[in-house]
Amino acid sequence: MYCKSSKIIAILSGIIVIIFASGCGPKWTEENQGDFNVVYNNGGQTLGYSPKSGIKIIEEKGFAFKDLNKNGELDIYEDWRLPADERAKDLASKMSVEQIAGLMLYSAHQSIPAGGRGPFGRATYDGKSFDESGAKASDLTDQQKQFLTEDNLRHVLITMVESPAIAAQWNNNMQALLEGIGLGIPGNTSSDPRHGTSASAEFNAGAGGDISMWPSSLGLAATFDPEVVRNFGDIASKEYRALGIATALSPQIDLATEPRWGRFNGTFGEDPQLDKDMARAYVDGFQTSEGDAEINGGWGYQSVNAMVKHWPSGGPEEGGRDAHFAYGKYAVYPGNNFDEHLIPFTEGAFKLNGKTGMASAVMPYYTISFNMDKKYGENVGNSYSKYIINDLLRGEYGYDGVICTDWGITNDNNSMMDFGRTCWGAENLSIAERHYKIIMAGVDQFGGNNDMGPVIEAYNMGIEEHGEQFMRERFEQSAVRLLRNIFRTGLFENPYLETLKTENTVGNPEFMAAGYEAQVKSVVLLKNAGNVLPLKENATVYIPKKYFPASRGMFGFGGGEARWDYPVNLEIVRKYANITDNPEEADYALVFIDSPSGGSGYSSEEVEKGGNGYVPISLQYGEYVAEYAREVSIAGGHPLENFTNRSYMGKKTKAVNSTDLDLVQTTKKEMEDKPVIVVVNVSNPMVFAEFEKNADAILISFGIQDQAIMDIISGKSEPSGLLPMQMPANMKTVEVQNEDVPRDMECYTDSEGNTYDFAFGLNWSGVINDQRVVKYK
């Protein structure tokens, strides 16, 4: 059938608009947005493309489509009317092995703009550092151009960005580059959680910010309200998409049954039912698009793929030592409680209330799930394990989404203290052999790898063992899973961002207010002797300075010098009370401290003295001697060690911030009989016995703004948070509890007779016993 088409050019408000009219179907219009053009299909999907990319718009039955492979024809994968799976299979079949290998890579951490040298390698612009180059903050680095064009990488992990506008411009530069090469596959950028707070920042109703600020995951759990988490996911996904981010490397739904684990505060706590509900709410919020933003099945332009982590749980680390390092490579199950750790995944993230059905991606943890492989008998890192991945996750639980390794697991490990080199159980294999073993276990993607070389080597190993047809089908299987997540989020249609829209979305007043409300809801009141709180009107408070030990930044870079300083923004406090530096003039003392920082569980100094290197991790401030630790560790063994017993029995340690305990005790003496209110910023369970009797009131917070805490203390808001974990009575109960079993410690009982157990919290009327407590406790 012959169709007559015409092109009409109009100028509206300075924007060139091209109207295409066809006698066979709907009209479509095209307008220039500066760096890219937008095509509006009447009754169809909106397209975005860059004139710099060289692609053309083709028409089919009155609709416009992007000719991504520049062949002048409408291919199945280019047809937005078709289901995502059909498009993904068509595109996978057209891809070379090298292109699929690049798709299976997930970049190392990228900041915008990139610095010179950092924990993730050198970054340059035309061979120069950013400061020397004269480049724009939104320009791509030499290294980014290389891994995008030469290694065919399409998944990029973004860390810091200079501003939302710069992030949007960088995204557009990346997408324009990718659109013009090969098959026109867009980039899928991701982020670790980025909605933490600036404690000293002031919240003003009606004011915006850089990005909405929320409590940590542990703080979200303390609300005991999945709807708060669902709302967070909904808001965060809109902000992520406005930054160009279509995948979240979250939520962290490890069941936090080991109270000493350094990543405890990134979880939803230790209870499987609460964790399950929070996981479901989080993923539903992130993945669901509604209204005009929905493309199909709940997926759309406001959807963010949720990569839940870490399968099958990183929670039961022996002795609390973390698997980022060789000394923490083992997860143990002394309580035979492996299956309960799967509940947040199988009953939560894989059984959503929303239309997207299940989390679209999963990240296994670094750990060796010790002696849990009942079929092949291997003790290897979870991503290497055919039993953990193929038989359990893929087979028993039928998971067909993307599985991506945690970052750096194929790198050689050369030291017990090496960070990001976590080839646990596969230390004797070559880098290429590690890639091959992971692929054959059922994993699709390699976190932190910018180089497709080892993936190609793995492919050739597979040909030798199984033949080329088998390996081609195996690679296409992963390609379809990876492409599906790009198609469903609409990136093939329009990956470009309007800078003004980005600026108006990220951190807008509505989103800031929602985050702040969640912060207030997360505060837990543990003690309120004699109803000392809320503060009386016109009260005068004494806030002692706190000692901040010298610190190292994340990954060992940056950090700060040791100092004495005020632990809160005094200007914020002055909005609620008068402040004095003289305890004699004060009505109350407000003491702000952090939960004990008990170390990593390993000491190179201990090795130098002839020991095995293993030391206790303490949840108390004062000196701790591990009398009740295991005489023989459950797991052990590493190529760099000539022993397998990692016991630290009889050894001692002391919290780095033990001065926080001194601060409480000193302040109590200074205040004599006047009230001392202690506010603890909590990262892990802790032993309150050391100072509870010296505090008239105790509140705990989870990485929130000072103002939210003052809203509670002043009585502007009533506390409603509940403990998402137990608080141990002493370190003995910490040592004898099982790393894999939730809620199995003796809990602390305070001088008021209240026990700091899971789901405990106070409001102004006393112990909270509402529907949340009934449901979860």
Side-chain angles (χ1 to χ4, degrees):
M1 176 180 173
Y2 174 75
C3 302
K4 182 178 179 181
S5 299
S6 61
K7 180 167 73 175
I8 305 166
I9 300 178
I11 300 179
L12 303 174
S13 301
I15 299 175
I16 298 176
V17 180
I18 306 173
I19 304 172
F20 293 84
S22 170
C24 295
K27 297 176 181 179
W28 53 278
T29 60
E30 180 174 351
E31 69 179 35
N32 178 261
Q33 293 282 355
D35 292 335
F36 63 98
N37 288 2
V38 178
V39 177
Y40 301 98
N41 278 300
N42 183 12
Q45 298 300 321
T46 297
L47 313 180
Y49 74 98
S50 170
K52 299 176 185 177
S53 69
I55 72 162
K56 304 295 183 184
I57 296 298
I58 55 179
E59 186 176 329
E60 165 77 13
K61 295 184 179 180
F63 288 113
F65 303 86
K66 294 160 69 172
D67 185 13
L68 291 168
N69 61 4
K70 304 176 186 177
N71 67 353
E73 301 176 0
L74 179 61
D75 293 280
I76 290 173
Y77 85 91
E78 296 166 337
D79 191 342
W80 44 257
R81 297 168 298 186
L82 299 176
D85 274 4
E86 185 176 346
R87 298 174 71 187
K89 290 175 183 176
D90 176 65
L91 179 52
S93 71
K94 290 177 166 60
M95 297 174 71
S96 68
V97 171
E98 290 76 15
Q99 288 171 325
I100 295 176
L103 196 66
M104 295 170 76
L105 305 177
Y106 224 126
S107 83
H109 301 62
Q110 308 292 311
S111 60
I112 304 172
R117 273 196 182 277
F120 306 107
R122 187 168 181 260
T124 58
Y125 297 79
D126 291 329
K128 300 177 182 178
S129 70
F130 176 70
D131 291 335
E132 297 170 335
S133 67
K136 296 179 181 178
S138 58
D139 287 346
L140 303 181
T141 67
D142 299 333
Q143 292 72 27
Q144 289 164 357
K145 292 175 184 176
Q146 179 179 334
F147 65 59
L148 291 170
T149 58
E150 297 179 20
D151 291 289
N152 299 306
L153 186 147
R154 291 297 179 270
H155 294 81
V156 182
L157 172 56
I158 301 299
T159 55
M160 296 175 290
V161 297
E162 182 175 296
S163 69
I166 293 298
Q169 292 159 10
W170 182 91
N171 170 82
N172 291 351
N173 290 335
M174 177 192 67
Q175 300 294 5
L177 172 65
L178 297 179
E179 191 173 65
I181 58 177
L183 295 164
I185 300 172
N188 180 3
T189 58
S190 71
S191 174
D192 282 310
R194 60 191 314 117
H195 282 82
T197 67
S198 172
S200 62
E202 182 177 0
F203 169 74
N204 291 302
D210 290 337
I211 196 166
S212 62
M213 295 190 288
W214 298 73
S216 69
S217 292
L218 200 56
L220 289 171
T223 69
F224 276 62
D225 186 353
E227 189 54 36
V228 170
V229 178
R230 172 70 169 77
N231 190 39
F232 163 69
D234 181 60
I235 288 172
S237 67
K238 292 181 174 69
E239 292 183 309
Y240 273 29
R241 291 307 299 266
L243 293 168
I245 297 167
T247 296
L249 303 186
S250 58
Q252 184 186 335
I253 60 175
D254 309 83
L255 198 57
T257 51
E258 169 45 59
R260 295 162 291 189
W261 186 32
R263 301 190 70 176
F264 195 104
N265 71 329
T267 74
F268 291 125
E270 65 176 304
D271 182 77
Q273 300 308 315
L274 180 63
D275 196 352
K276 172 195 71 175
D277 289 349
M278 295 303 190
R280 181 188 299 116
Y282 190 110
V283 177
D284 265 333
F286 265 87
Q287 291 190 170
T288 303
S289 290
E290 297 175 329
D292 293 339
E294 183 179 359
I295 297 172
N296 187 46
W299 290 100
Y301 296 105
Q302 289 177 354
S303 296
V304 172
N305 294 290
M307 186 180 291
V308 294
K309 56 188 187 184
H310 303 89
W311 177 267
S313 178
E317 302 265 16
E318 184 163 20
R321 299 182 297 271
D322 183 60
H324 276 90
F325 302 92
Y327 54 76
K329 64 194 281 187
Y330 293 105
V332 295
Y333 295 86
N336 296 315
N337 202 39
F338 180 86
D339 290 345
E340 193 164 23
H341 283 259
L342 306 183
I343 289 174
F345 296 90
T346 60
E347 300 299 317
F350 298 168
K351 290 185 178 179
L352 304 181
N353 293 329
K355 290 193 288 185
T356 64
M358 66 169 56
S360 64
V362 171
M363 182 188 295
Y365 203 40
Y366 299 113
T367 44
I368 294 171
S369 298
F370 189 66
N371 286 347
M372 289 298 106
D373 180 352
K374 307 301 183 185
K375 186 172 182 180
Y376 309 104
E378 282 192 308
N379 274 315
V380 292
N382 292 313
S383 288
Y384 290 98
S385 172
K386 185 178 179 181
Y387 173 75
I388 295 291
I389 302 302
N390 188 66
D391 292 22
L392 196 61
L393 181 54
R394 294 282 192 211
E396 184 172 342
Y397 293 105
Y399 186 76
D400 193 40
V402 168
I403 301 177
C404 177
T405 74
D406 213 328
W407 263 233
I409 76 163
T410 58
N411 295 335
D412 290 330
N413 177 258
N414 302 310
S415 164
M416 298 300 291
M417 305 291 285
D418 266 356
F419 178 87
R421 296 178 172 275
T422 51
C423 53
W424 311 144
E427 292 93 344
N428 62 327
L429 302 180
S430 70
I431 291 176
E433 287 170 337
R434 291 170 194 153
H435 281 76
Y436 180 53
K437 185 172 179 60
I438 289 167
I439 291 169
M440 298 312 293
V443 175
D444 304 300
Q445 198 166 31
F446 299 93
N449 182 5
N450 300 349
D451 179 12
M452 73 174 179
V455 185
I456 298 298
E457 288 186 68
Y459 181 80
N460 292 328
M461 290 176 185
I463 291 177
E464 290 183 15
E465 184 174 358
H466 298 287
E468 187 158 11
Q469 181 179 347
F470 176 91
M471 284 309 293
R472 175 71 201 191
E473 290 175 355
R474 174 65 190 87
F475 264 46
E476 285 193 27
Q477 182 183 45
S478 285
V480 169
R481 292 170 181 150
L482 291 160
L483 290 168
R484 183 192 296 144
N485 289 356
I486 306 177
F487 278 113
R488 293 193 297 199
T489 49
L491 290 172
F492 273 90
E493 277 57 71
N494 185 13
Y496 296 96
L497 302 172
E498 299 175 39
T499 302
L500 183 59
K501 186 175 181 180
T502 291
E503 292 178 318
N504 290 336
T505 300
V506 180
N508 70 45
E510 178 187 350
F511 295 171
M512 297 296 288
Y516 185 78
E517 181 181 350
Q519 291 181 52
V520 174
K521 287 182 176 180
S522 72
V523 177
V524 182
L525 178 62
L526 292 180
K527 183 179 181 181
N528 193 20
N531 294 323
V532 67
L533 290 179
L535 301 178
K536 64 184 181 183
E537 289 188 20
N538 299 316
T540 298
V541 299
Y542 165 59
I543 302 175
K545 287 186 176 181
K546 167 181 155 63
Y547 179 70
F548 293 87
S551 62
R552 296 176 67 195
M554 192 175 184
F555 313 121
F557 288 78
E561 299 294 325
R563 72 190 195 281
W564 284 91
D565 203 352
Y566 288 107
V568 290
N569 184 338
L570 297 185
E571 294 307 309
I572 295 285
V573 177
R574 285 193 178 98
K575 296 179 182 295
Y576 299 86
N578 304 306
I579 298 177
T580 180
D581 286 331
N582 184 355
E584 294 181 359
E585 298 175 355
D587 300 309
Y588 306 84
L590 304 183
V591 185
F592 292 82
I593 60 176
D594 296 308
S595 55
S597 180
S600 66
Y602 189 83
S603 168
S604 55
E605 293 178 0
E606 221 261 341
V607 175
E608 292 171 2
K609 294 176 181 177
N612 67 358
Y614 293 88
V615 294
I617 297 175
S618 179
L619 299 182
Q620 67 182 37
Y621 295 104
E623 184 175 272
Y624 166 62
V625 180
E627 297 178 57
Y628 300 97
R630 294 187 182 102
E631 188 172 356
V632 178
S633 64
I634 293 175
H638 187 73
L640 298 176
E641 295 179 331
N642 60 4
F643 56 86
T644 58
N645 185 9
R646 295 182 163 193
S647 175
Y648 50 84
M649 186 178 185
K651 297 179 185 179
K652 62 183 179 182
T653 191
K654 189 176 184 179
V656 174
N657 61 333
S658 61
T659 51
D660 281 8
L661 175 60
D662 300 334
L663 188 64
V664 176
Q665 293 171 335
T666 300
T667 304
K668 178 61 177 176
K669 291 178 182 177
E670 292 174 332
M671 292 296 290
E672 297 180 342
D673 293 330
K674 290 183 290 185
V676 175
I677 289 84
V678 178
V679 181
V680 191
N681 181 37
V682 169
S683 298
N684 288 76
M686 58 182 285
V687 177
F688 279 91
E690 293 177 293
F691 71 85
E692 176 267 320
K693 290 182 174 61
N694 289 328
D696 297 276
I698 300 174
L699 303 97
I700 65 172
S701 63
F702 304 92
I704 63 174
Q705 291 169 260
D706 300 336
Q707 187 173 346
I709 297 169
M710 291 307 302
D711 274 357
I712 298 291
I713 291 174
S714 68
K716 181 178 180 180
S717 298
E718 184 170 14
S720 62
L722 302 170
L723 285 177
M725 71 286 206
Q726 294 181 318
M727 292 298 180
N730 47 53
M731 280 302 298
K732 177 181 177 181
T733 191
V734 173
E735 292 288 6
V736 301
Q737 57 89 34
N738 289 319
E739 284 94 335
D740 60 325
V741 177
R743 299 168 58 176
D744 65 338
M745 292 191 293
E746 176 191 352
C747 297
Y748 180 70
T749 299
D750 68 14
S751 56
E752 299 294 297
N754 291 318
T755 300
Y756 297 174
D757 202 348
F758 174 80
F760 171 75
L762 302 171
N763 56 24
W764 301 142
S765 301
V767 177
I768 297 172
N769 190 27
D770 57 18
Q771 289 299 315
R772 299 172 300 160
V773 177
V774 172
K775 179 176 181 179
Y776 291 107
K777 188 168 184 179

